[in-house]
């Protein structure tokens, strides 16, 4: 397996396929690089080099007990891009991975990066605070942690079979294969990483990070996102970015890169080639 070892001794697994301009994909909680299958194969077929890593504690990367915060996530991404000596890269992040990309750009600079896209992403800030009254109550995320600690397997099954893909909406036609693949990816990772990751994705404030980014960034978000509610996420991020473009979808789920891959891939390709 291809891995990079970080400064604090964590092995980060990554896939690196093809040649051409690199596109680097950062996955959502609590998944792995496998969640990008539809994108990796599509962009590989279009002549791009595609790279996707498993976040620390997730998938095939080391199941360490610490470092499950956005600064470490960004530094781990920098370790991958540094080892591969990437230049002129496109960074694409979904959900928590969108936060990872934003923190990476703000923390490590844009000299290796041409463009970025964040999909159903957690910035600017998910949790409700005095400065962010539109956020979700902290109790929502406390409950996530409690369910994870009580029965992680059951909790993950419920997330995938319900709000993640909008399979709980009237008239929805759940895909058992998609549900099981989500569950499989989640259970590959470590409970400690996923438990701490809930705090990382919900309580990290990316407001200042977004303001530092100058490269073109496509912000893709659905109005029917049940995991990262639209109004307090996509539109706010697009406004905070110096060169942000908001692409809004109707009726798509949080996990739209999987269930709506044809649309998402086409819109990403158009942005990258524009």
């Amino acid at each position: 397996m291809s891995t990079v070892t970080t400064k604090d001794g964590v092995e980060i697994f990554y896939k690196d396929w093809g040649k051409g301009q690199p596109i680097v994909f950062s996955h959502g909680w609590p998944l792995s690089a496998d969640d990008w299958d539809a994108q990796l194969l599509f962009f590989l077929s279009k002549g791009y080099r595609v790279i996707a890593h498993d976040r620390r504690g997730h998938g095939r990367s080391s199941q360490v007990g610490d470092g499950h915060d956005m600064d470490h996530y960004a530094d781990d991404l920098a370790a991958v891009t540094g080892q591969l000596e990437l230049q002129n890269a496109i960074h694409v992040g979904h959900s928590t991975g969108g936060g990872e990309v934003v923190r990476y750009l703000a923390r490590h600079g844009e000299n290796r990066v041409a463009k970025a896209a964040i999909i159903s992403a957690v910035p600017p800030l998910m949790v409700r605070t005095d400065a962010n009254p539109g956020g979700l109550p902290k109790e929502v995320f406390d409950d996530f942690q409690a369910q994870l600690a009580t029965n992680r397997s059951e909790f993950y099954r419920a997330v995938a079979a319900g709000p993640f893909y909008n399979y709980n909406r009237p008239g929805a036609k759940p895909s058992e294969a998609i549900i099981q693949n989500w569950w499989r990816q989640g259970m590959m990772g470590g409970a400690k990483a996923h438990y701490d990751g809930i705090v990382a994705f919900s309580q990290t404030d990316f407001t200042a990070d977004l303001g530092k980014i100058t490269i073109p960034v496509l912000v893709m978000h659905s109005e029917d996102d049940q995991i990262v509610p639209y109004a307090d996420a996509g539109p706010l991020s697009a406004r905070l970015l110096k060169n942000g473009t908001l692409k809004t979808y109707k009726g798509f789920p949080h996990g739209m890169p999987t269930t709506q891959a044809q649309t998402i891939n086409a819109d990403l390709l158009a942005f990258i080639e524009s």
Side-chain angles (χ1 to χ4, degrees), residues 228-239:
V228 181
Y230 173 84
D232 201 56
L236 299 186
S237 288
R239 280 202 293 272

Side-chain angles (χ1 to χ4, degrees), residues 56-72:
R56 66 167 58 204
H58 295 61
R60 290 138 294 204
S61 293
S62 300
Q63 290 196 14
V64 291
D66 55 5
H68 306 297
D69 56 75
M70 283 293 166
D71 285 350
H72 279 90

Side-chain angles (χ1 to χ4, degrees), residues 2-7 10-16 22-26 33 49-56 61 72-87 89 91 100 104 108 112:
S2 299
T3 61
V4 56
T5 302
T6 67
K7 290 178 181 177
V10 179
E11 283 198 352
I12 302 295
F13 166 85
Y14 65 89
K15 308 176 188 186
D16 180 7
I23 308 178
V24 185
F25 295 88
S26 293
R49 178 183 178 185
V50 293
I51 296 140
H53 67 291
D54 291 354
R55 189 166 298 121
R56 66 167 58 204
S61 293
H72 279 90
Y73 295 167
D75 293 351
D76 294 348
L77 178 55
V80 173
T81 61
Q83 175 164 301
L84 297 179
E85 299 181 343
L86 301 182
Q87 299 293 338
H91 279 265
E100 177 178 288
Y104 165 77
H108 292 277
R112 293 178 177 271

Side-chain angles (χ1 to χ4, degrees), residues 15-63:
K15 308 176 188 186
D16 180 7
W17 303 338
K19 297 178 181 178
Q21 186 177 15
I23 308 178
V24 185
F25 295 88
S26 293
H27 65 78
W29 174 97
L31 303 171
S32 74
D34 294 354
D35 203 47
W36 290 112
D37 283 353
Q39 284 69 46
L40 298 180
L41 293 173
F42 174 80
F43 284 100
L44 185 64
S45 75
K46 297 296 181 182
Y48 290 91
R49 178 183 178 185
V50 293
I51 296 140
H53 67 291
D54 291 354
R55 189 166 298 121
R56 66 167 58 204
H58 295 61
R60 290 138 294 204
S61 293
S62 300
Q63 290 196 14

